[in-house]
Structure formats: structure tokens, C-alpha cells
Amino acid sequence: MPLLMQLIQRALLCVLLNALLCGIIATAADFGERRERAFVRKLSPPGEYPRLADVGGLQRAKELVLTRMIVPLRLPSLFAGRYRVRGLPRLRGALFSGAPGTGKTMLARAIANEARVPLLQVRLADIESKFYGEASKNLRAVFAAARRAAPAVIFFDEIDGIIRRRSEGESSATYGIKTELLQHLDAIADCAVLVVACTNSSETLDPAVARRLPHHVRMELPSLDERVAIMQRTLVHEGEEALSAPELMRVLRHTEGCSGSDLVQLLQVALCCRYRRVVATGRGNLAQCLRSLGPITEADWSEAVRDVGV
């Protein structure tokens, strides 16, 4: 009888341990599925972002993304997968580098909009975790979500914060994130998923990542003609009266070294200068004066240039 009781107890213990182990495995799988669904919800549908024509300047970069990224994303069966047409270039990732405000993020978003595919924008805060190994799992979920929505674009904003050059003193968790990212960049070659990364300092990136993102596009500060084109588009977007190219050249001739973001800020300051002028010189009904502000004058632009300090 005691022997029988011992056998029953051992059998029950085995059943309980098996149930507990199955529960742990199911819970882990459920957490992984939940993590993936969280990134699927972050996918932005096409149409929410600017079009390629809205990007001022960067003509060479726009030609590259049109032929090597947008067209392959529109026709994924010809450029990726088992039935890829031989002779056509594979869909490969891109690295955008340059000074802040030169249009890296805008161009990456325009790729998804022009190709009519969803965009998954990933920042360092979406990946990192205080728990060991969770960052690698988050990265795995990012690529799983993109594969589920393929064709799609993954946009790593400020990738130098996620994966820098390898060093001897780095932790195993950081090394694991780098290894995980490199493995996924190799695995998505035939998945119709485009990886675009941007950085302000490409020299700090791990060379292994740069090799897996072969289309390196350097965003230079805009020339005078490009600054005129950017400002014309910005004026139209703000609903302001468009100026002619000679007028804008007179206004922007002192803005050498300004990025596209700086020019948008310059316009906002010019709008404030016009507002101050109307308030200071307006007589009678102030509300009526504010409803008909009139165009931005050259004096407003000159004051804005002085205020911004360009």
C-alpha cells in the first residue's frame, strides 16, 4: 500500500510539473504574440505622410529612392521572394545620414507613402528595456510585425542610439541587440520589407550595419536654389501667398548653412513679425485687421532673419 501511494504521488507530481511547464511555455508564447501585436498597432497606413514631391531639394536622393525602393515596394513579387525576376536588383536597405533638419525623416516617410505600404517607425525607447534580454525580444517583434504586414517599411530613427561601433567594454545585452539586428537584416532580403535607418553621425555606426544597408544617402545642406524650392513648398503648405523665385532669392541669400527645418522656423518667425506689425499699425477694428493680414513683406523677412540670427 505505501508503495502504491508513492507511485500515485509521483504520477500526480509529474502531471502537475507538466501542466506547469506547459503553462509557462504558453504564457511566454502569449507574451511574444502580444509584443508583436503591439508593434502591428504602431504601423502607420499610407497616406498619413508627405509625398515625394513635398520634399524640397534632395533631387539625387529622390531619384535613388524612387528607382531602388519605391518601385520594388510597389511590385514586390518582381524584386523579392521565390519568383523574383532575375536581373532586377534586390530590395536592399538604406542609410540616411546628414545634419539635423536636412529631410532624412521626411524622405523615409515619403517612401512609404509613395509606395502605398505601411510604415513602422522605431525609436530607441521602443526597443530598450531594463530587463535582460527584453530588448532583443522587442527587436524580434518589430521584424515579425513588418513581415506580417509585408510589403512594409521599417524606419529606425536615430539608429546610432541603438547600434554603435562594437567595443571591448560593452555589455552582453548591448552585444545581443547588435547580433539580433544583424541577423534580421540578413533574413529579410526576400521578405519585401525595406529597412531605412537615419543618423546624424554615420561614423559612430557599426560597419557591419552599414554593409547591410548598402544605399548610403548623404543629406547635404540645401543650396540657394534648393532653399528657394523648400520655402516655396512651405509657403503653399501654410496657405501663404507664394513669392517668385527672384523675391525668395533676395530673402534667402543670407541663409547659407540653414537646413530645411531652419527655413520652416524662419517662416514661422516671419509670420510672427507680420502679426506684430499688423497689431502695432492697425487702427480701428483690430479683429478686422487680423482677418486680412496681407502678404509677408520684405521688411518682415528681414526682421525674421535678424531674429533667427542666420
Side-chain angles (χ1 to χ4, degrees):
M1 195 64 159
L3 181 60
L4 181 61
M5 291 298 296
Q6 288 180 3
L7 292 174
I8 293 174
Q9 288 175 356
R10 289 180 181 178
L12 289 174
L13 182 60
C14 289
V15 171
L16 288 174
L17 288 175
N18 186 45
L20 181 61
L21 184 60
C22 291
I24 292 173
I25 294 173
T27 303
D30 185 50
F31 279 147
E33 182 68 21
R34 251 187 269 175
R35 200 190 309 263
E36 182 180 334
R37 286 200 300 268
F39 282 108
V40 169
R41 287 193 295 270
K42 287 178 176 286
L43 285 163
S44 301
E48 291 189 0
Y49 293 117
R51 298 184 63 84
L52 208 59
D54 298 327
V55 181
L58 303 176
Q59 195 59 38
R60 185 177 177 184
K62 289 193 288 188
E63 291 174 0
L64 173 68
V65 300
L66 177 62
T67 56
R68 301 304 299 271
M69 300 170 207
I70 294 174
V71 173
L73 283 171
R74 284 182 178 176
L75 305 168
S77 60
L78 301 183
F79 290 85
R82 183 183 301 176
Y83 304 105
R84 183 178 72 89
V85 176
R86 293 184 179 274
L88 291 178
R90 288 182 181 272
L91 179 64
R92 304 297 300 274
L95 177 64
F96 296 163
S97 66
T102 49
K104 300 184 294 293
T105 300
M106 190 176 184
L107 185 60
R109 291 172 173 173
I111 292 172
N113 195 10
E114 289 288 344
R116 298 186 289 274
V117 299
L119 173 76
L120 179 55
Q121 184 166 344
V122 183
R123 298 182 176 88
L124 177 60
D126 300 322
I127 299 297
E128 65 179 2
S129 173
K130 62 181 180 180
F131 298 109
Y132 183 83
E134 288 296 303
S136 296
K137 293 178 183 177
N138 289 336
L139 198 56
R140 200 175 305 136
V142 166
F143 282 90
R147 284 193 192 94
R148 180 183 291 190
V153 176
I154 303 176
F155 175 46
F156 285 99
D157 197 4
E158 304 296 342
I159 195 173
D160 49 301
I162 301 174
I163 182 164
R164 288 178 172 266
R165 284 181 177 270
R166 304 184 195 190
S167 60
E168 293 182 0
E170 68 182 5
S171 65
S172 58
T174 304
Y175 186 82
I177 295 174
K178 294 179 180 180
T179 306
E180 188 78 28
L181 179 59
L182 294 176
Q183 289 174 351
H184 285 296
L185 289 176
D186 287 333
I188 62 167
D190 292 322
C191 295
V193 174
L194 173 69
V195 175
V196 178
C198 80
T199 176
N200 297 332
S201 51
S202 58
E203 62 277 1
T204 63
L205 275 181
D206 192 315
V209 176
R211 284 196 299 270
R212 287 165 173 81
L213 301 173
H215 300 309
H216 188 182
V217 182
R218 175 76 184 175
M219 308 288 193
E220 303 292 346
L221 291 170
S223 63
L224 179 57
D225 291 337
E226 290 175 330
R227 295 198 299 275
V228 168
I230 292 170
M231 187 59 76
Q232 285 176 331
R233 286 180 171 84
T234 308
L235 285 168
V236 172
H237 183 265
E238 291 289 335
E240 294 293 328
E241 182 179 339
L243 301 178
S244 65
E247 290 175 316
L248 280 176
M249 282 189 176
R250 286 198 304 272
V251 169
L252 300 176
R253 66 182 183 274
H254 300 302
T255 59
E256 186 71 30
C258 287
S259 65
S261 180
D262 296 331
L263 295 176
V264 173
Q265 179 63 25
L266 178 64
L267 174 59
Q268 296 303 317
V269 175
L271 294 175
C272 291
C273 293
R274 180 184 63 179
Y275 168 72
R276 289 201 301 266
R277 173 176 55 80
V278 170
V279 171
T281 60
R283 297 177 181 178
N285 192 339
L286 181 60
Q288 186 63 32
C289 293
L290 293 177
R291 288 192 185 96
S292 55
L293 291 170
I296 305 173
T297 65
E298 195 162 338
D300 296 330
W301 284 110
S302 299
E303 186 180 352
V305 169
R306 288 196 301 271
D307 289 349
V308 174
V310 295

